[in-house]
Amino acid sequence: MDSLEKLSDLELTLLLKEGNQSAFTEIYERYWAGLFRHAQKMLRNEEEAADIVQDIFAMILNKADSLNFTGSISGFLYASVRNKTLDFIRGSKVRDKFITTMMSLSEKNHYHLNEDLIAQDLAMRIEEGIAKLPPKMRRVFELSRKSGLSQSEIADKLDISETTVKKQIGRAIKILRMRIQLIIITTLLLIF
C-alpha cells in the first residue's frame, strides 16, 4: 500500500474496522467537505452543520469495529448526516414550539419577563458550564471561543492534532448545548 488515497472505499472500510487510524483519517478527509455541504444545505447554519458532521465521524471512530455497512461508506455517511440533520430539525421545532407556547402563556397571564435578568442568569450558567468541562476540553474551547484562535492555531499552541481540537470543540459544544436547553426549560417552568 503506497498511499491510502488510492484505496477504494471498501478497502478503507475494512482497514477502519481493523482499527486503522490512517484509514479513518483518509475517510474523514475524503468526505468531510461534501457531508458538511449536504448538512448545511438542509440547515442553513454552518456551525450546526459542522457539529452534525463531527458527531457522525466521532460515532464512526468510536464504533468502527461494530459498524456494518450494507452498501458503501459514502452512502452510509450521507444517510447518517441526513438522518441526524432531520432529527436536529425535529428537535428544534419541538423546542421552538415549547418556547412559543410558554411565551404565549406569559402574555395571556400578563407575566412580564425581565429579559436582562434572565440573560445575565443564562450567561452566568453558561460560564459555570464551561468551568465544569474537563480541563483539556475547557482549555481548547476557551482558546477557540473566547480567544478566537483557529483550530490549527490551537493545535500548534497545545501541541495536539487538529482532529483532537475539532473533537474537543465539538464535544464541548454538545455538552454546553444540552446544559443550556435544560437551563432554558427549567427557567421557563419556574417562571410559570
Side-chain angles (χ1 to χ4, degrees):
M1 276 185 278
D2 294 332
S3 172
L4 292 177
E5 293 173 3
K6 296 176 183 176
L7 295 179
S8 69
D9 284 356
L10 179 59
E11 292 168 315
L12 285 172
T13 302
L14 293 173
L15 289 173
L16 176 66
K17 287 183 178 186
E18 294 171 2
N20 185 310
Q21 181 68 35
S22 297
F24 172 80
T25 303
E26 177 59 28
I27 292 168
Y28 182 91
E29 289 173 359
R30 195 176 283 186
Y31 289 105
W32 194 92
L35 293 170
F36 171 75
R37 285 190 301 273
H38 184 62
Q40 187 183 19
K41 283 180 187 176
M42 294 173 75
L43 291 172
R44 303 192 194 296
N45 181 312
E46 287 185 7
E47 189 172 311
E48 296 297 343
D51 287 349
I52 285 172
V53 175
Q54 287 302 115
D55 286 348
I56 296 300
F57 278 108
M59 180 267 303
I60 286 175
L61 185 61
N62 293 329
K63 298 180 179 181
D65 58 344
S66 63
L67 291 175
N68 290 321
F69 305 110
T70 55
S72 69
I73 187 136
S74 170
F76 175 81
L77 289 170
Y78 278 94
S80 297
V81 167
R82 182 189 68 242
N83 292 339
K84 191 158 184 69
T85 301
L86 291 173
D87 288 346
F88 176 81
I89 290 169
R90 279 187 215 106
S92 295
K93 286 181 181 177
V94 168
R95 186 173 53 252
D96 291 347
K97 186 174 181 178
F98 175 78
I99 290 171
T100 301
T101 301
M102 295 308 273
M103 295 307 283
S104 174
L105 286 173
S106 165
E107 290 169 9
K108 286 179 185 175
N109 294 319
H110 303 290
Y111 288 113
H112 297 287
L113 304 176
N114 187 332
E115 293 174 6
D116 290 337
L117 286 176
I118 292 172
Q120 288 173 358
D121 183 55
L122 183 58
M124 179 185 73
R125 290 179 186 227
I126 290 170
E127 286 300 319
E128 289 172 358
I130 291 170
K132 290 179 182 177
L133 292 172
K136 290 179 183 177
M137 184 184 293
R138 182 177 64 240
R139 178 79 171 126
V140 169
F141 183 80
E142 288 176 337
L143 287 172
S144 170
R145 296 307 194 255
K146 292 184 178 179
S147 300
L149 297 180
S150 70
Q151 292 177 356
S152 61
E153 290 171 327
I154 296 169
D156 290 341
K157 183 176 182 112
L158 300 179
D159 195 31
I160 56 177
S161 73
E162 243 182 279
T163 302
T164 301
V165 172
K166 289 177 186 178
K167 282 188 214 172
Q168 292 295 321
I169 291 171
R171 288 180 184 153
I173 289 170
K174 191 172 186 176
I175 290 168
L176 292 173
R177 184 182 298 129
M178 287 188 300
R179 288 183 181 163
I180 290 168
Q181 288 172 352
L182 286 173
I183 291 166
I184 289 171
I185 290 169
T186 304
T187 302
L188 289 172
L189 289 175
L190 289 175
I191 290 170
F192 302 106

